[in-house]
Amino acid sequence: MDLSQRAGALERLGQLERVRTGRLDPLLVAVFAVAVSAAGASRPSLWFDEAATISAATRSVPELWRLLGNIDAVHGLYYLVMHGWFAVFPVTEFWTRFSSCLAVGFAAAGVVVLAKQFSTRSVAVCAGVMFAILPRITWAGIEGRSYALSASAAVWLTVLLVAALRRDRPALWPLYSLCLVLATLLNLFAVLMVLAHAVVVGVLSTTRATVRRWAVSASVAVLIVAPFLLFCQTQIAQVRWISPPSAGTLVDIALEQYFDHSVAFAVVAALTGALALRRRPFDTGNRHLAVIAVAWMVLPTMVLLGYSIVSEPIYYPRYLSYTAPAMALMLGVCIVAVGRERDRITAMVAVFAVAATPNYLFAQRGPYAKEGMDYSQVADVITAHTAPGDCLIMDNTTNWAPGPIRPLTAARPAAYEKLVDPGRGLRAAERNRLWDAHLGIWGVADQVRKCTELWTVSQRDSTVPERQSGEALDPGPRLRRAPAYQVPSRLGFHIVERWQFNFAQVTKSTR
């Protein structure tokens, strides 16, 4: 055996030893990540995007398929997954989000497994823990959307690629193509993982044949999803609310893309990275891992920014959640490089955890954490205080964003089933849209006349008390000018109770 063969054998032996050492690490880190995400998952109100998930995923598969022809094709596979989830679990705040908690755990395990392919157990476990507490991930872990699941798909797709490159077994390459297709169907922008994977191939490949196999596998996957990508382009009007890139976009990348506005966490991360660069050069494994992590973060971001500049704005920080595992890998490498010893590494991770805590507790897990929305609080009032046969009036003149008001009833549909809703038009599934149609109250006045107790959901009014009861309450300036109040008032209804939240107010009226 010559020196090169001996060196190769020793490297493979070292890789095998890294994998064998701490076999339970991925599982333990996964359990920790699930626990971190699940804590307080039921506290924030459901909001517009989660209402869309519930609306789409709770309809039949044929109805879902028809819906995707009109809107949200980019979320189609996720809606199908959640359709199966809701067949088992109830539509509540916790269970809607717990699927994302589990996805975070699966992704954290993947981060550990991936890091062990290149580096030490310390780096792998540290990266997995950092992934679990990364603000973007603790946000995604309680979001009833595909962000956490797409991050999991991206990291395990990369694990599969590393295995295919090192083992070069023929069966792994078609599996890689299939998984890349599925990841893209889960998150349209995950197709850009091909760019990061080109760097992985450049780092790990030893023969041209291996490079060709990857190139063919990746090309086949891209060709398969090309019609899907083109079809999604026809629905791009859904994201016309995204602003074009500006100087503020750089702040979004630095502060929001991975740190979800946690300034303290971002500062600690920047200082750790700066200190790591001042240390002696990384060894080969850590250097390779760092190069892959940087490519994983930078290349997809640059493509979305470039497209947003030359064509249409599509860059939005949360859309790149699938690159968050790369940030965790980079932080794991840097923390171990700076700390070196176990006690110091543990102390540094603790500093990151403390830095993340204010954002975690107050911004992400407050009652109105989801864009200020209060869908759940309204549903709680309706559930607790209404009786079967009571009437519901939705004030469609509210100007909160995202709107309109009808998605509020889609978030917790069971809360409204016992009520008579005169203003509810054609059902969402029947009209092939996410939301029910809304009928103007002037046209349904005869139905309102038959009601005895009326529950009106309108916009918050800061000029009247948040909680109030009485024989005939002042409607306040906001309700007074709304048809949702004017029509019932002319029919003899008067307000007897009021609840106000962050965006909404709920009033009970009798006559």
Side-chain angles (χ1 to χ4, degrees), residues 174 176-182 184-185 191 216-230:
Y176 172 79
S177 293
L178 174 62
C179 290
L180 180 55
V181 168
L182 293 175
T184 304
L185 294 178
V191 71
V216 170
S217 301
S219 298
V220 168
V222 171
L223 288 174
I224 291 173
V225 299
F228 172 70
L229 301 179
L230 293 174

mmCIF file of all heavy atoms in Angstrom, residues 174 176-182 184-185 191 216-230:
data_model
loop_
_atom_site.group_PDB
_atom_site.id
_atom_site.type_symbol
_atom_site.label_atom_id
_atom_site.label_comp_id
_atom_site.label_asym_id
_atom_site.label_seq_id
_atom_site.Cartn_x
_atom_site.Cartn_y
_atom_site.Cartn_z
ATOM 1 N N PRO A 174 -30.298 8.123 -8.503
ATOM 2 C CA PRO A 174 -31.735 8.337 -8.773
ATOM 3 C C PRO A 174 -32.496 8.789 -7.527
ATOM 4 O O PRO A 174 -33.426 9.598 -7.623
ATOM 5 C CB PRO A 174 -32.212 6.951 -9.239
ATOM 6 C CG PRO A 174 -30.994 6.271 -9.740
ATOM 7 C CD PRO A 174 -29.873 6.771 -8.876
ATOM 8 N N TYR A 176 -31.259 10.638 -5.171
ATOM 9 C CA TYR A 176 -30.942 12.067 -5.038
ATOM 10 C C TYR A 176 -31.830 12.902 -5.961
ATOM 11 O O TYR A 176 -32.371 13.931 -5.541
ATOM 12 C CB TYR A 176 -29.461 12.297 -5.366
ATOM 13 C CG TYR A 176 -29.080 13.761 -5.439
ATOM 14 C CD1 TYR A 176 -28.860 14.504 -4.293
ATOM 15 C CD2 TYR A 176 -28.942 14.396 -6.674
ATOM 16 C CE1 TYR A 176 -28.521 15.853 -4.357
ATOM 17 C CE2 TYR A 176 -28.606 15.738 -6.755
ATOM 18 C CZ TYR A 176 -28.388 16.462 -5.596
ATOM 19 O OH TYR A 176 -28.053 17.795 -5.663
ATOM 20 N N SER A 177 -32.007 12.471 -7.193
ATOM 21 C CA SER A 177 -32.865 13.204 -8.139
ATOM 22 C C SER A 177 -34.289 13.293 -7.618
ATOM 23 O O SER A 177 -34.912 14.363 -7.646
ATOM 24 C CB SER A 177 -32.865 12.512 -9.507
ATOM 25 O OG SER A 177 -31.599 12.588 -10.119
ATOM 26 N N LEU A 178 -34.813 12.173 -7.123
ATOM 27 C CA LEU A 178 -36.176 12.146 -6.612
ATOM 28 C C LEU A 178 -36.331 13.089 -5.423
ATOM 29 O O LEU A 178 -37.312 13.853 -5.345
ATOM 30 C CB LEU A 178 -36.539 10.722 -6.199
ATOM 31 C CG LEU A 178 -37.898 10.547 -5.499
ATOM 32 C CD1 LEU A 178 -39.037 10.968 -6.430
ATOM 33 C CD2 LEU A 178 -38.076 9.103 -5.040
ATOM 34 N N CYS A 179 -35.371 13.059 -4.512
ATOM 35 C CA CYS A 179 -35.469 13.906 -3.318
ATOM 36 C C CYS A 179 -35.337 15.388 -3.664
ATOM 37 O O CYS A 179 -35.970 16.235 -3.035
ATOM 38 C CB CYS A 179 -34.400 13.492 -2.297
ATOM 39 S SG CYS A 179 -34.711 11.885 -1.543
ATOM 40 N N LEU A 180 -34.527 15.700 -4.663
ATOM 41 C CA LEU A 180 -34.414 17.095 -5.103
ATOM 42 C C LEU A 180 -35.733 17.571 -5.700
ATOM 43 O O LEU A 180 -36.160 18.713 -5.461
ATOM 44 C CB LEU A 180 -33.280 17.229 -6.122
ATOM 45 C CG LEU A 180 -33.042 18.638 -6.686
ATOM 46 C CD1 LEU A 180 -32.804 19.660 -5.581
ATOM 47 C CD2 LEU A 180 -31.862 18.630 -7.660
ATOM 48 N N VAL A 181 -36.402 16.715 -6.440
ATOM 49 C CA VAL A 181 -37.711 17.054 -6.989
ATOM 50 C C VAL A 181 -38.706 17.317 -5.863
ATOM 51 O O VAL A 181 -39.439 18.317 -5.866
ATOM 52 C CB VAL A 181 -38.219 15.928 -7.910
ATOM 53 C CG1 VAL A 181 -39.693 16.136 -8.258
ATOM 54 C CG2 VAL A 181 -37.385 15.854 -9.175
ATOM 55 N N LEU A 182 -38.748 16.425 -4.872
ATOM 56 C CA LEU A 182 -39.689 16.579 -3.760
ATOM 57 C C LEU A 182 -39.393 17.836 -2.953
ATOM 58 O O LEU A 182 -40.311 18.547 -2.525
ATOM 59 C CB LEU A 182 -39.645 15.344 -2.864
ATOM 60 C CG LEU A 182 -40.173 14.043 -3.483
ATOM 61 C CD1 LEU A 182 -39.967 12.873 -2.530
ATOM 62 C CD2 LEU A 182 -41.644 14.181 -3.842
ATOM 63 N N THR A 184 -38.106 20.571 -4.055
ATOM 64 C CA THR A 184 -38.537 21.718 -4.856
ATOM 65 C C THR A 184 -40.050 21.873 -4.830
ATOM 66 O O THR A 184 -40.581 22.985 -4.782
ATOM 67 C CB THR A 184 -38.036 21.580 -6.299
ATOM 68 O OG1 THR A 184 -36.614 21.419 -6.297
ATOM 69 C CG2 THR A 184 -38.395 22.803 -7.123
ATOM 70 N N LEU A 185 -40.766 20.752 -4.862
ATOM 71 C CA LEU A 185 -42.225 20.816 -4.772
ATOM 72 C C LEU A 185 -42.663 21.332 -3.402
ATOM 73 O O LEU A 185 -43.725 21.952 -3.270
ATOM 74 C CB LEU A 185 -42.829 19.434 -5.021
ATOM 75 C CG LEU A 185 -42.651 18.861 -6.432
ATOM 76 C CD1 LEU A 185 -43.249 17.468 -6.510
ATOM 77 C CD2 LEU A 185 -43.286 19.768 -7.476
ATOM 78 N N VAL A 191 -34.879 24.491 -5.234
ATOM 79 C CA VAL A 191 -34.161 24.067 -6.431
ATOM 80 C C VAL A 191 -32.781 24.711 -6.486
ATOM 81 O O VAL A 191 -31.837 24.173 -7.100
ATOM 82 C CB VAL A 191 -34.979 24.405 -7.699
ATOM 83 C CG1 VAL A 191 -35.016 25.906 -7.951
ATOM 84 C CG2 VAL A 191 -34.433 23.661 -8.913
ATOM 85 N N VAL A 216 -25.686 14.797 -14.076
ATOM 86 C CA VAL A 216 -26.821 14.160 -14.753
ATOM 87 C C VAL A 216 -28.013 14.078 -13.806
ATOM 88 O O VAL A 216 -29.148 14.408 -14.181
ATOM 89 C CB VAL A 216 -26.426 12.758 -15.260
ATOM 90 C CG1 VAL A 216 -27.665 12.007 -15.737
ATOM 91 C CG2 VAL A 216 -25.409 12.865 -16.383
ATOM 92 N N SER A 217 -27.776 13.660 -12.562
ATOM 93 C CA SER A 217 -28.872 13.511 -11.591
ATOM 94 C C SER A 217 -29.537 14.850 -11.302
ATOM 95 O O SER A 217 -30.776 14.956 -11.260
ATOM 96 C CB SER A 217 -28.337 12.900 -10.287
ATOM 97 O OG SER A 217 -27.750 11.646 -10.524
ATOM 98 N N ALA A 218 -28.723 15.872 -11.101
ATOM 99 C CA ALA A 218 -29.271 17.201 -10.829
ATOM 100 C C ALA A 218 -30.021 17.740 -12.046
ATOM 101 O O ALA A 218 -31.095 18.341 -11.915
ATOM 102 C CB ALA A 218 -28.156 18.155 -10.420
ATOM 103 N N SER A 219 -29.474 17.536 -13.230
ATOM 104 C CA SER A 219 -30.123 18.025 -14.452
ATOM 105 C C SER A 219 -31.457 17.349 -14.680
ATOM 106 O O SER A 219 -32.441 17.998 -15.077
ATOM 107 C CB SER A 219 -29.202 17.795 -15.658
ATOM 108 O OG SER A 219 -27.999 18.508 -15.511
ATOM 109 N N VAL A 220 -31.522 16.053 -14.437
ATOM 110 C CA VAL A 220 -32.782 15.329 -14.589
ATOM 111 C C VAL A 220 -33.832 15.897 -13.644
ATOM 112 O O VAL A 220 -34.983 16.124 -14.027
ATOM 113 C CB VAL A 220 -32.560 13.817 -14.330
ATOM 114 C CG1 VAL A 220 -33.905 13.099 -14.180
ATOM 115 C CG2 VAL A 220 -31.755 13.199 -15.455
ATOM 116 N N ALA A 221 -33.439 16.138 -12.399
ATOM 117 C CA ALA A 221 -34.383 16.684 -11.423
ATOM 118 C C ALA A 221 -34.874 18.062 -11.845
ATOM 119 O O ALA A 221 -36.083 18.369 -11.751
ATOM 120 C CB ALA A 221 -33.722 16.753 -10.045
ATOM 121 N N VAL A 222 -33.966 18.907 -12.309
ATOM 122 C CA VAL A 222 -34.350 20.257 -12.724
ATOM 123 C C VAL A 222 -35.287 20.206 -13.926
ATOM 124 O O VAL A 222 -36.265 20.969 -14.007
ATOM 125 C CB VAL A 222 -33.100 21.102 -13.040
ATOM 126 C CG1 VAL A 222 -33.489 22.429 -13.670
ATOM 127 C CG2 VAL A 222 -32.290 21.352 -11.767
ATOM 128 N N LEU A 223 -35.014 19.304 -14.865
ATOM 129 C CA LEU A 223 -35.901 19.159 -16.030
ATOM 130 C C LEU A 223 -37.289 18.692 -15.606
ATOM 131 O O LEU A 223 -38.306 19.131 -16.168
ATOM 132 C CB LEU A 223 -35.290 18.180 -17.025
ATOM 133 C CG LEU A 223 -34.071 18.687 -17.811
ATOM 134 C CD1 LEU A 223 -33.471 17.564 -18.645
ATOM 135 C CD2 LEU A 223 -34.457 19.872 -18.696
ATOM 136 N N ILE A 224 -37.345 17.803 -14.621
ATOM 137 C CA ILE A 224 -38.642 17.296 -14.158
ATOM 138 C C ILE A 224 -39.467 18.415 -13.533
ATOM 139 O O ILE A 224 -40.687 18.504 -13.747
ATOM 140 C CB ILE A 224 -38.440 16.137 -13.163
ATOM 141 C CG1 ILE A 224 -37.891 14.907 -13.901
ATOM 142 C CG2 ILE A 224 -39.747 15.791 -12.453
ATOM 143 C CD1 ILE A 224 -37.502 13.761 -12.988
ATOM 144 N N VAL A 225 -38.810 19.276 -12.747
ATOM 145 C CA VAL A 225 -39.562 20.332 -12.040
ATOM 146 C C VAL A 225 -39.733 21.592 -12.882
ATOM 147 O O VAL A 225 -40.447 22.511 -12.470
ATOM 148 C CB VAL A 225 -38.885 20.703 -10.700
ATOM 149 C CG1 VAL A 225 -38.828 19.499 -9.787
ATOM 150 C CG2 VAL A 225 -37.502 21.302 -10.909
ATOM 151 N N ALA A 226 -39.101 21.634 -14.064
ATOM 152 C CA ALA A 226 -39.199 22.843 -14.890
ATOM 153 C C ALA A 226 -40.641 23.234 -15.198
ATOM 154 O O ALA A 226 -41.009 24.417 -15.087
ATOM 155 C CB ALA A 226 -38.393 22.659 -16.174
ATOM 156 N N PRO A 227 -41.529 22.309 -15.580
ATOM 157 C CA PRO A 227 -42.925 22.713 -15.815
ATOM 158 C C PRO A 227 -43.579 23.287 -14.559
ATOM 159 O O PRO A 227 -44.387 24.223 -14.655
ATOM 160 C CB PRO A 227 -43.599 21.400 -16.242
ATOM 161 C CG PRO A 227 -42.492 20.556 -16.777
ATOM 162 C CD PRO A 227 -41.291 20.898 -15.940
ATOM 163 N N PHE A 228 -43.259 22.718 -13.412
ATOM 164 C CA PHE A 228 -43.787 23.243 -12.145
ATOM 165 C C PHE A 228 -43.314 24.672 -11.908
ATOM 166 O O PHE A 228 -44.088 25.546 -11.516
ATOM 167 C CB PHE A 228 -43.351 22.325 -11.005
ATOM 168 C CG PHE A 228 -43.673 22.850 -9.633
ATOM 169 C CD1 PHE A 228 -44.978 22.916 -9.192
ATOM 170 C CD2 PHE A 228 -42.662 23.277 -8.782
ATOM 171 C CE1 PHE A 228 -45.286 23.392 -7.927
ATOM 172 C CE2 PHE A 228 -42.945 23.744 -7.515
ATOM 173 C CZ PHE A 228 -44.270 23.813 -7.079
ATOM 174 N N LEU A 229 -42.034 24.915 -12.170
ATOM 175 C CA LEU A 229 -41.484 26.258 -11.987
ATOM 176 C C LEU A 229 -42.173 27.250 -12.923
ATOM 177 O O LEU A 229 -42.506 28.380 -12.517
ATOM 178 C CB LEU A 229 -39.977 26.250 -12.247
ATOM 179 C CG LEU A 229 -39.122 25.331 -11.370
ATOM 180 C CD1 LEU A 229 -37.661 25.428 -11.780
ATOM 181 C CD2 LEU A 229 -39.279 25.662 -9.902
ATOM 182 N N LEU A 230 -42.397 26.844 -14.161
ATOM 183 C CA LEU A 230 -43.049 27.729 -15.125
ATOM 184 C C LEU A 230 -44.503 27.986 -14.735
ATOM 185 O O LEU A 230 -45.004 29.111 -14.884
ATOM 186 C CB LEU A 230 -42.968 27.118 -16.525
ATOM 187 C CG LEU A 230 -41.560 27.031 -17.134
ATOM 188 C CD1 LEU A 230 -41.597 26.271 -18.450
ATOM 189 C CD2 LEU A 230 -40.974 28.422 -17.330
#
